[in-house]
Amino acid sequence: MPKFIYTKKYVQYTAYILLALFIMLLFKYNLTYYLVSTDVMPEAPEAVNTLTVGYAIQTMIGEVYVISFFTAIKLTIDWLRESSKLHDLEKRQLKTELRFLRSQVSPHFFFNTLNNIYSLTLEKSDQAPEVILKLSELMRYLLYATKKQRQDLTSEINCIKNYIDLERIRFDDSLKIEMNISGDLDNCKIAPMLLIPLVENCFKHGASKNIGEMKIDIDLQVIEGFMIFKVSNTIPNPHKEFDYPVKSGGIGLSNVKKRLELGYAKNDYELSIFDENKMFNVILKLKVI
């Protein structure tokens, strides 16, 4: 079967099966005739002492039933084995792609943060040591947390707070940031570094491109096992012609979408992206328990 059926050589397979049946027929006839009884077909109404066409057909049909039964078993076992291998391969590819997507977040994030530190060192700012310390905490989080499939939601929130503190340094009082957290966060788990890109986009596509007063709102609630995370930022003025991440976005939202598709069931999350009242909004509803 592996040599002929699986390689689609059906004519050769049929020919060899017929040859095997004929050889089996000769063996069965001679063994019965010389070792058991000269009547090789006792169930027949008349004694059969020779190799007749009727005897051959009846014997071969009976063996075809046996061959068909074991062929079905063989095909089923091989199909299950190959299906299992394919499933394992898909899982390995899934884990590899998730690790790759997580690794995309870190360089992008550090690129912006290191730019901030560079500016502070040029200005010989007293804030530089504090910024480096917060960056160190973020690096520690990335080093250990991103290896896990799920991380405590509180750890992810602390990471976001550190990131916001680092970004505040780049902006003056024209940037207003509000962050509200509510609900029971205990025992809540989330894919690590899943929320940071959403917050990062507020700064990258909102605050850094805005003229005038800027606002970023971050609201996180845990209700009945689901986290509702909403981030909003002022749409850049005076035009709305910037390349928002909702269109392509490079890493940003496209990364989050891909990670949600790979790491969560369809019923476990809902991602909404829209602009309203001159604010760009992203709402993520995610199962965290």
Side-chain angles (χ1 to χ4, degrees):
M1 288 180 62
K3 189 173 182 179
F4 296 104
I5 289 290
Y6 299 156
T7 56
K8 299 183 179 180
K9 298 177 180 178
Y10 303 121
V11 175
Q12 294 94 319
Y13 178 74
T14 303
Y16 279 113
I17 286 292
L18 292 174
L19 177 61
L21 287 171
F22 181 72
I23 294 173
M24 175 278 306
L25 174 65
L26 295 178
F27 269 96
K28 183 176 182 179
Y29 172 80
N30 285 282
L31 288 173
T32 304
Y33 186 86
Y34 292 106
L35 298 181
V36 181
S37 171
T38 55
D39 184 5
V40 295
M41 199 173 179
E43 65 274 15
E46 297 180 358
V48 179
N49 304 114
T50 58
L51 188 59
T52 64
V53 175
Y55 170 79
I57 293 176
Q58 187 168 345
T59 302
M60 293 178 72
I61 288 177
E63 298 304 329
V64 166
Y65 289 146
V66 176
I67 291 173
S68 300
F69 177 72
F70 282 99
T71 298
I73 293 177
K74 170 69 173 171
L75 289 172
T76 301
I77 292 174
D78 288 351
W79 179 82
L80 290 173
R81 185 181 292 115
E82 290 301 316
S83 179
S84 178
K85 289 181 181 179
L86 180 62
H87 182 66
D88 291 340
L89 178 61
E90 288 177 346
K91 286 178 65 178
R92 287 196 295 269
Q93 289 176 336
L94 175 69
K95 291 180 179 179
T96 301
E97 188 167 357
L98 280 172
R99 284 196 296 267
F100 174 70
L101 288 172
R102 285 200 295 263
S103 70
Q104 281 186 311
V105 176
S106 303
H108 188 252
F109 172 76
F110 280 119
F111 178 78
N112 291 337
T113 306
L114 288 172
N115 275 341
N116 295 345
I117 295 176
Y118 176 71
S119 299
L120 290 173
T121 54
L122 287 179
E123 298 171 1
K124 301 185 185 304
S125 172
D126 293 336
Q127 292 179 301
E130 180 184 352
V131 174
I132 293 174
L133 180 61
K134 289 186 177 295
L135 180 59
S136 174
E137 293 175 356
L138 287 171
M139 290 178 66
R140 186 178 298 108
Y141 178 78
L142 291 173
L143 181 62
Y144 296 107
T146 54
K147 294 180 180 179
K148 301 178 182 179
Q149 186 176 5
R150 294 288 186 268
Q151 179 61 278
D152 292 337
L153 180 57
T154 52
S155 298
E156 185 79 1
I157 292 173
N158 290 333
C159 180
I160 292 173
K161 289 179 178 178
N162 283 332
Y163 174 79
I164 292 174
D165 289 341
L166 290 172
E167 287 286 21
R168 285 181 190 272
I169 299 169
R170 289 201 299 162
F171 303 95
D172 53 24
D173 294 336
S174 61
L175 173 62
K176 300 184 182 301
I177 304 175
E178 291 186 9
M179 184 173 183
N180 299 306
I181 300 172
S182 61
D184 185 6
L185 306 182
D186 293 339
N187 302 318
C188 292
K189 300 288 184 178
I190 189 173
M193 296 297 294
L194 185 64
L195 303 182
I196 279 288
L198 303 180
V199 178
E200 186 180 17
N201 278 323
C202 291
F203 289 92
K204 180 182 177 183
H205 298 277
S208 62
K209 293 183 177 180
N210 216 316
I211 300 174
E213 184 176 340
M214 301 161 281
K215 185 178 180 182
I216 295 176
D217 293 329
I218 301 172
D219 185 76
L220 187 150
Q221 302 178 59
V222 176
I223 304 173
E224 297 179 353
F226 278 87
M227 175 200 71
I228 301 174
F229 185 72
K230 180 179 180 181
V231 288
S232 305
N233 63 269
T234 307
I235 293 177
N237 291 317
H239 303 292
K240 293 174 60 177
E241 298 176 354
F242 297 102
D243 184 20
Y244 268 91
V246 66
K247 298 178 182 177
S248 60
I251 295 172
L253 291 182
S254 61
N255 181 296
V256 173
K257 290 178 181 178
K258 189 67 174 177
R259 290 187 63 192
L260 288 170
E261 292 172 1
L262 292 174
Y264 289 89
K266 290 184 178 181
N267 295 331
D268 289 346
Y269 73 92
E270 182 180 339
L271 182 64
S272 302
I273 304 169
F274 60 95
D275 59 290
E276 185 178 58
N277 298 327
K278 298 183 180 181
M279 296 289 287
F280 182 74
N281 305 278
V282 179
I283 302 177
L284 173 61
K285 183 178 180 181
L286 182 69
K287 186 176 182 179
V288 290
I289 293 181

